[in-house]
Amino acid sequence: MIKAWLRPWRDRAFQLLALAIIIAGFALSSIILLHAELEQRFAVRTAEMLGGELTLTGTRAPEPDQRELLKNKPIATVVDFSTVLVHNDELLLVSARAVDDHYPLYGQMQTAQGRFDKAQAAPQGPSPGELWVADQVLDRLNVKPGDRLAIGSKELLLSAVIRQLPDQSAGFYSMSPRIVFNAKDLASTGVLGPGTRITYRQMISGDAATIAKLQDNLDATLRPDQRLEDIENAAVRSMGPLRQLTLWANLAVLLVAMLCGATIYLATSERVARRARLAGLLRSFGAPRRQIISRLLGAEFIAILPASAAGSLLSIGLITIIHQSLDWQGSLAATGVQWLTILIAPLVLWLAFALPRLTALIRVPAIDILNQRNKAKPLSTNIELTAALGAPVLLAGFLTSSLADLGNLLVLLVVLGAGLPALLWPLLKGLDLISGKLPLASRLALRRLSRRPALTLPLLAALTMAMAVIALAGQTGNQLLDEWRSRLPEQAPNHFVLNLFEKDFQVFNQWLDKQEAVTQPLYPIVRGRLTEINGVPVSQAVTKEKENRNEALNRDLALTEAADMLASNKINSGAWHPAKNTVSVEQELADRLGLKLGDKLMFITSRGSVNTEIASLREVDWDTFEPNFYFMFAPGGLAEQDITWLTGFWLPDGDGKRLAELMMQLPHITLLDVNTLLNKANEIIGQASGATALLAVLLMIAAVLVLTAALLGGQAQRGRDNALLRTLGGDRALLYRVTWAEFITLCGSAGLAATIIIFSALYPLTAQLLNDTPTLSYWQLTPLLIGIVVASIGVLASRGALNIPALSLLRDES
Amino acid sequence: MKTPLQSEPLLQTQPLLVAESLGKTVPGPDGELTLLEGIDFTLSPGQSVAITGPSGSGKSTLLGLLAGLDTPTSGQVLLEGKPFSQLDEDGRAIRRGQLCAFVFQHFHLVNDLNALENVMLPLELKGAANPKVTASHWLERVGLEHRLKHFPSTLSGGEQQRVALARAFAVQPRLLFADEPTGSLDHANGGRIGELLFDLNRETGTALVLVTHDEQLAGRCQRHLQLEEGRLFEKPEPGPVSTKEISARDAAP
């Protein structure tokens, strides 16, 4: 039995076919698994931001009936409020959070043991009696871990420094440093009295069905101050760049599959040619069709199963490695349907590209044995074509979850599939016409190519597609990555300094010069609270519902003024500071508060009030590690206010001593360390970069596989021609010249066609589909590089045909 | 069998092809397998010789050795009095291209080249002047002037072999090797090709080594040799005379 399984594997054509199945299976499975992972990551990220799949927020604790509904559910409770932290008669306004033992349900907290120590993951919040504080608290109160600090009437032991909370919003709009302590200590602090502004938040975790049911039940019980938020309606950043990258990845993977399909078709043709004699023999022995189907087709199918499984297993291995290296929790995210797809995707290719060919074996007539014909009659071209065209549609369906994406993908495929032969055929004919004037070797090579259009055209098309897509996907992918990278340049600021005064500049600059730190501009900061919109108090101007969703209200905001806009910002409407007393507002905040151009705003500051008028609405890219602001005033707009300064700088991670030196000299400043966030972002960029490279490599392998399969089919003819050339007096150098000329022409034409495609047809298509303008880059040279590699591989793979002895022509080997 | 032609001028010239004690062994499952042994053979310019023998007697192997397509394990081949079999592969190929031509059983035309280009191919390899004119002339000579642009796949077997004949004679070879030239053709076509082969051979004065199963075709050669179990014998005149092993010396004209 095992022997029967292994027998086909001895044939080179079958090995090639199996390799194509493995590569296609690997590529398809990987993208499906990766897609599932990314979607889950996105959901988890949203859940991390929310703190759970569902959150119930209110200004008071939940009612008993609500508590009953939440009973026995995985739930974490936090209580957020503003309070004052006291140490040695020094006071500091802080954003306090009391957490229970279940917090956090999602994500990770990171803490450090000292001000400049490395961050470590903390599975649970502080124990009763303990307090965790943000870096700024250490700076502002001049305390260190081990000190005791008071919240209201309760003294707590400072036990760790907070580096990251999972549901911590980034940004600089809140000026109050964060502290975290155990909810069991909350009552004994005595700070929660009437008038204290408190947010109770229940974070619930659960599957979609449970959450939906709970949401329905809770909805009926909500008090006016309460609101529910789930992942769906959470305001989350769009998956824009990720979607674009996914579309390209899907196209590249689909092409890998199609190229593998071509390999499967060519290798199967060769295999059928080799098996036709056996089929004829079996027929002459009286074997019925059924027996031939089970003996030849069945054996072929069973033998291909391990290859099909191998591709999927390889991809599972790869995704598991990525899963672990990125420290993603839980098991692989693929759903049952996705696992089924992974299982059948390579077999779909086999069914579409191999089976129609293989059925020819059933129709080999016994008489062929007598007349030595042994040529299997293939199924009608229509059936083969339908199967070959149906497969990509089916696979594209496997890869995309949305009809729009599927449409885009198919449009790209049709353009490639129909446009390429139309483009390449004249090229081939042109080559044939000019070949008359070329030296013998080149002429022979060109005629080999131009006069076998059935073999050359698909091969040229395959190579052209591979080259064009590697170049375009590489370029688009890199463009996206570059964009991300530009937000995170290698020396992006990993520390921010707040509360810097003008008198500190000299000391601070001296320190920066000494460290050779990479610095950022200084931004003036004024703390202010938005109180009136067009003369109406905010509490009336903004509805309760809007306010609930808005953490920008009722707290001090960091206002700034600047002559120039930040490079990562974009004006959506209005003009950048047309007059002195104007302000530019972040678009999303403006939308939430219902602000529009021309609205008059009033802020209360420590020096009184600031009045201004909205002159522009700005789009802000919160992913950059630059300071971003909701309100940016025209220069001079904050002139009379108490100004402190904010800046960022880059220092190698973990250089605690140098930072300590700065803190000694300027003890009142606040230093923020964002290394943890920065490292995570860099890691993701690295992985995306690796994925692009892997796709390019897979495409290359697939293209080479097609070439090898095509060569395998034409090997006998090629060998005979070479032997004939030798018999007629051609030396070995001539054979090499012909072979090199053939592959250089093949790959050169493919490269030329790919370049034409890149610059003409697909270029505008990219712009339209990806909403992106492709730029010139070294990626345009990829067709050339791939051409050189593939031509060399072609010559190497043809070595066998170069060494066919001339004597073979005398033997019965025609 | 016809009496070999032994004209005076031929006697005075140097032999064109000489095989001395030629032997060929190949490794087999039970040790060395002897394919050819002690072959001595001389061919004069313009002379035609047929080699016949049962299947597996080593005809193709001998033709391969004589044409320098393969190298002997013992003995040597001389072409125009110069060592031929000792040359390296490229050396033999170039020499073969200068002096020899081939006609094969399976025609062996290049499928990607049309009739004209197929005939031009050896001329171009040789660096001959005006290959197109010469090739057209020879295709006309074999009666295919209306098929110049046809590809092998659109030609009948007989037509393909005629292209092969034109290709062989176009280079004006001193020596033509023909391996079963009628073996893939029906009787009528085979007869016509045989006729054409000997007509052209006579016209051009090319020496001919013909390997064939066709006794009638072999009978048209000046000499007829027979291979049996790797050894070469002069085919006796028809009659009850036993075969006699020949040597280079006594076979010389």
Side-chain angles (χ1 to χ4, degrees):
Chain A
M1 181 69 185
I2 290 176
K3 254 190 182 171
W5 269 30
L6 292 177
R7 200 171 295 130
W9 285 84
R10 288 190 214 131
D11 182 8
R12 217 173 137 222
F14 187 87
Q15 291 167 3
L16 209 58
L17 189 151
L19 198 58
I21 292 268
I22 293 175
I23 299 286
F26 175 68
L28 287 165
S29 308
S30 297
I31 200 79
I32 292 169
L33 285 175
L34 198 62
H35 204 70
E37 289 300 321
L38 286 178
E39 274 191 349
Q40 204 208 23
R41 286 301 98 207
F42 194 63
V44 167
R45 208 180 125 185
T46 314
E48 275 176 17
M49 279 167 58
L50 276 182
E53 263 93 17
L54 185 70
T55 59
L56 172 65
T57 317
T59 53
R60 282 179 283 134
E63 299 299 316
D65 57 335
Q66 291 174 328
R67 279 203 286 270
E68 189 60 33
L69 283 170
L70 295 173
K71 213 167 78 179
N72 300 327
K73 301 267 185 313
I75 181 168
T77 305
V78 301
V79 183
D80 286 329
F81 57 98
S82 288
T83 187
V84 174
L85 199 59
V86 187
H87 180 252
N88 290 346
D89 298 334
E90 284 215 46
L91 307 179
L92 179 67
L93 183 69
V94 291
S95 296
R97 167 168 288 185
V99 302
D100 69 1
D101 295 339
H102 304 294
Y103 176 83
L105 291 178
Y106 282 100
Q108 236 185 17
M109 292 184 286
Q110 300 235 3
T111 58
Q113 282 312 301
R115 176 67 176 90
F116 302 110
D117 288 353
K118 282 236 170 231
Q120 283 175 331
Q124 242 185 2
S127 310
E130 287 184 7
L131 174 71
W132 294 355
V133 302
D135 289 326
Q136 303 101 295
V137 175
L138 305 184
D139 304 340
R140 306 269 287 273
L141 288 180
N142 200 16
V143 291
K144 57 186 183 310
D147 289 346
R148 298 189 75 82
L149 290 87
I151 303 173
S153 49
K154 176 84 177 174
E155 264 206 352
L156 296 167
L157 173 71
L158 201 173
S159 62
V161 181
I162 302 165
R163 282 284 152 76
Q164 191 195 337
L165 295 180
D167 47 347
Q168 176 183 40
S169 312
F172 296 95
Y173 60 84
S174 168
M175 300 299 288
S176 315
R178 170 75 76 186
I179 66 164
V180 176
F181 64 98
N182 197 292
K184 291 186 182 121
D185 294 324
L186 186 57
S188 52
T189 59
V191 290
L192 299 188
T196 316
R197 189 172 179 88
I198 309 166
T199 309
Y200 283 87
R201 183 174 290 145
Q202 264 72 32
M203 301 155 166
I204 308 127
S205 140
D207 57 57
T210 318
I211 292 296
K213 196 170 161 214
L214 185 63
Q215 201 169 1
D216 281 349
N217 293 335
L218 282 173
D219 248 340
T221 67
L222 289 186
R223 298 188 309 251
D225 67 298
Q226 284 182 316
R227 68 189 161 102
L228 278 172
E229 195 164 27
D230 65 3
I231 304 179
E232 297 283 315
N233 66 29
V236 288
R237 197 169 55 86
S238 84
M239 278 177 84
L242 203 60
R243 279 180 77 103
Q244 290 172 7
L245 208 59
T246 312
L247 180 64
W248 268 125
N250 280 346
L251 179 68
V253 165
L254 206 52
L255 272 175
V256 169
M258 289 302 99
L259 292 178
C260 288
T263 307
I264 293 167
Y265 179 82
L266 289 169
T268 307
S269 302
E270 181 62 13
R271 189 140 172 80
V272 165
R274 292 177 188 188
R275 304 282 282 169
R277 192 184 292 247
L278 177 61
L281 203 61
L282 287 174
R283 290 294 278 172
S284 71
F285 291 163
R289 283 185 170 212
R290 189 173 40 80
Q291 210 170 356
I292 291 181
I293 291 175
S294 80
R295 243 191 125 87
L296 298 181
L297 272 59
E300 203 79 9
F301 177 72
I302 288 172
I304 208 67
L305 288 178
S308 169
S312 306
L313 284 176
L314 273 176
S315 73
I316 294 171
L318 176 80
I319 302 298
T320 310
I321 291 171
I322 293 177
H323 203 271
Q324 280 174 358
S325 73
L326 284 184
D327 216 9
W328 288 345
Q329 278 138 30
S331 53
L332 293 183
T335 60
V337 176
Q338 281 166 328
W339 283 116
L340 192 69
T341 312
I342 286 165
L343 218 59
I344 61 169
L347 295 177
V348 166
L349 274 179
W350 186 84
L351 289 171
F353 290 97
L355 193 60
R357 274 267 115 170
L358 277 173
T359 53
L361 288 176
I362 307 170
R363 289 183 305 280
V364 175
I367 187 76
D368 280 9
I369 279 294
L370 294 181
N371 59 26
Q372 290 278 309
R373 255 198 305 231
N374 298 317
K375 281 210 174 131
K377 283 191 203 91
L379 269 181
S380 83
T381 321
N382 282 346
I383 298 180
E384 288 196 341
L385 209 62
T386 311
L389 289 177
V393 178
L394 199 61
L395 292 175
F398 285 166
L399 293 181
T400 56
S401 43
S402 87
L403 274 179
D405 282 354
L406 179 66
N408 284 343
L409 212 52
L410 291 179
V411 165
L412 272 179
L413 269 187
V414 168
V415 168
L416 283 171
L420 270 184
L423 182 76
L424 294 171
W425 180 236
L427 185 74
L428 215 54
K429 291 311 283 177
L431 284 178
D432 194 37
L433 280 178
I434 59 158
S435 66
K437 300 197 172 22
L438 295 174
L440 181 65
S442 313
R443 197 164 359 127
L444 286 174
L446 282 182
R447 287 184 177 159
R448 261 186 198 178
L449 293 172
S450 63
R451 298 192 179 169
R452 295 178 202 171
L455 199 66
T456 309
L457 267 183
L459 199 54
L460 255 182
L463 286 175
T464 306
M465 279 202 273
M467 286 174 175
V469 172
I470 290 176
L472 277 167
Q475 187 182 322
T476 323
N478 257 46
Q479 218 170 319
L480 288 169
L481 289 177
D482 280 349
E483 212 177 296
W484 285 353
R485 245 182 233 122
S486 68
R487 295 170 182 170
L488 290 178
E490 211 160 278
Q491 297 184 338
N494 54 359
H495 296 88
F496 287 94
V497 176
L498 293 87
N499 293 332
L500 204 60
F501 292 98
E502 263 183 61
K503 62 180 171 57
D504 302 330
F505 283 0
Q506 198 187 350
V507 176
F508 182 62
N509 285 332
Q510 275 170 1
W511 180 85
L512 285 177
D513 287 345
K514 203 169 124 194
Q515 313 308 330
E516 293 177 0
V518 181
T519 55
Q520 294 274 308
L522 283 158
Y523 298 94
I525 302 285
V526 169
R527 295 169 69 173
R529 186 174 286 214
L530 179 63
T531 51
E532 281 182 20
I533 301 172
N534 294 327
V536 181
V538 165
S539 53
Q540 292 166 30
V542 177
T543 63
K544 198 77 183 164
E545 190 186 346
K546 279 181 181 163
E547 190 195 351
N548 263 336
R549 291 179 177 274
N550 232 305
E551 290 173 335
L553 298 175
N554 301 309
R555 62 172 71 202
D556 279 353
L557 297 165
L559 313 177
T560 192
E561 59 173 53
D564 300 313
M565 194 173 57
L566 289 164
S568 62
N569 290 8
K570 203 175 92 189
I571 296 280
N572 281 349
S573 56
W576 177 254
H577 300 340
K580 200 177 167 198
N581 199 21
T582 56
V583 69
S584 174
V585 185
E586 192 265 335
Q587 180 80 56
E588 278 184 36
L589 178 75
D591 290 345
R592 292 201 301 259
L593 297 180
L595 299 178
K596 53 191 186 306
L597 292 179
D599 279 355
K600 292 186 166 49
L601 307 179
M602 187 170 94
F603 294 88
I604 296 292
T605 66
S606 54
R607 284 279 186 105
S609 64
V610 179
N611 288 291
T612 185
E613 186 183 321
I614 301 176
S616 64
L617 299 176
R618 246 172 330 121
E619 198 176 303
V620 170
D621 187 351
W622 294 104
D623 289 343
T624 62
F625 278 73
E626 285 177 327
N628 269 311
F629 302 91
Y630 283 121
F631 297 96
M632 293 183 89
F633 287 72
L638 301 170
E640 304 300 315
Q641 306 299 323
D642 286 333
I643 289 178
T644 62
W645 296 81
L646 177 154
T647 189
F649 60 88
W650 179 87
L651 263 194
D653 192 7
D655 214 342
K657 266 190 191 159
R658 297 204 253 172
L659 293 171
E661 192 186 306
L662 176 67
M663 297 309 297
M664 292 266 286
Q665 293 179 47
L666 301 170
H668 57 276
I669 63 165
T670 299
L671 197 58
L672 285 179
D673 180 346
V674 292
N675 269 308
T676 317
L677 287 172
L678 211 54
N679 290 343
K680 202 169 234 177
N682 273 324
E683 198 174 8
I684 289 169
I685 287 176
Q687 295 287 342
S689 206
T692 313
L694 179 68
L695 268 177
V697 169
L698 281 180
L699 258 177
M700 271 288 287
I701 294 176
V704 169
L705 274 183
V706 176
L707 180 72
T708 318
L711 286 180
L712 189 69
Q715 188 87 336
Q717 175 72 50
R718 184 179 292 273
R720 257 196 315 277
D721 289 351
N722 286 338
L724 184 71
L725 277 177
R726 285 199 68 62
T727 312
L728 297 179
D731 57 5
R732 188 172 284 270
L734 175 82
L735 299 190
Y736 270 100
R737 277 204 304 277
V738 174
T739 310
W740 269 112
E742 182 183 351
F743 285 104
I744 286 174
T745 310
L746 180 73
C747 297
S749 314
L752 182 69
T755 310
I756 293 173
I757 288 172
I758 292 167
F759 281 104
S760 57
L762 277 186
Y763 227 63
L765 208 63
T766 314
Q768 199 195 339
L769 285 179
L770 302 182
N771 193 19
D772 203 355
T773 322
T775 48
L776 286 179
S777 75
Y778 61 88
W779 279 98
Q780 258 93 52
L781 292 176
T782 27
L784 181 72
L785 290 175
I786 297 168
I788 293 170
V789 174
V790 175
S792 310
I793 291 173
V795 174
L796 274 177
S798 302
R799 259 186 327 173
L802 287 170
N803 294 324
I804 301 270
L807 194 63
S808 64
L809 295 180
L810 299 179
R811 307 233 159 100
D812 186 18
E813 290 173 8
S814 69
Chain B
M1 176 177 276
K2 287 188 176 177
T3 317
L5 282 172
Q6 295 189 1
S7 58
E8 269 315 298
L10 287 178
L11 278 171
Q12 288 169 358
T13 54
Q14 189 187 33
L16 181 62
L17 183 71
V18 176
E20 289 177 351
S21 308
L22 217 49
K24 181 73 181 176
T25 55
V26 289
D30 305 315
E32 292 283 292
L33 189 67
T34 302
L35 301 179
L36 294 173
E37 196 180 0
I39 305 286
D40 288 302
F41 167 78
T42 301
L43 183 73
S44 300
Q47 194 181 27
S48 62
V49 59
I51 301 171
T52 57
S55 288
S57 59
K59 296 190 298 293
S60 294
T61 309
L62 178 59
L63 190 68
L65 292 180
L66 293 176
L69 302 180
D70 196 6
T71 51
T73 33
S74 61
Q76 64 165 342
V77 178
L78 304 172
L79 190 59
E80 280 193 325
K82 292 178 193 148
F84 182 47
S85 55
Q86 286 102 322
L87 294 175
D88 65 11
E89 211 183 339
D90 278 347
R92 295 200 306 276
I94 291 165
R95 196 121 173 78
R96 190 165 54 235
Q98 286 162 348
L99 296 172
C100 310
F102 269 93
V103 179
F104 302 98
Q105 177 182 358
H106 298 292
F107 328 131
H108 289 314
L109 301 179
V110 180
N111 287 338
D112 311 321
L113 303 181
N114 60 32
L116 184 66
E117 289 163 343
N118 261 293
V119 180
M120 284 166 66
L121 183 60
L123 290 165
E124 289 174 314
L125 282 171
K126 209 176 172 181
N130 297 324
K132 197 168 181 178
V133 175
T134 314
S136 305
H137 164 74
W138 279 97
L139 280 168
E140 198 178 324
R141 179 66 192 80
V142 298
L144 288 177
E145 61 276 14
H146 56 295
R147 293 269 204 258
L148 299 185
K149 298 280 178 181
H150 283 237
F151 284 90
S153 55
T154 62
L155 296 173
S156 70
E159 286 175 325
Q160 287 192 52
Q161 196 61 307
R162 277 198 270 167
V163 175
L165 280 177
R167 179 177 67 185
F169 283 101
V171 291
Q172 294 178 294
R174 296 205 61 200
L175 175 57
L176 174 66
F177 293 103
D179 179 29
E180 301 274 15
T182 59
S184 292
L185 301 171
D186 57 40
H187 186 70
N189 265 313
R192 279 197 283 277
I193 287 296
E195 201 68 41
L196 190 59
L197 171 66
F198 279 98
D199 283 354
L200 295 174
N201 185 39
R202 204 170 38 248
E203 259 176 48
T204 55
T206 306
L208 172 69
V209 176
L210 171 70
V211 167
T212 183
H213 276 102
D214 185 342
E215 288 291 333
Q216 215 180 346
L217 202 63
R220 298 182 67 168
C221 289
Q222 292 160 336
R223 288 172 63 201
H224 186 170
L225 306 177
Q226 190 159 24
L227 256 179
E228 272 176 32
E229 293 178 351
R231 301 184 78 84
L232 195 60
F233 300 93
E234 187 88 43
K235 177 94 172 181
E237 293 295 327
V241 184
S242 66
T243 52
K244 180 181 77 143
E245 198 171 336
I246 56 161
S247 75
R249 257 60 59 189
D250 60 34

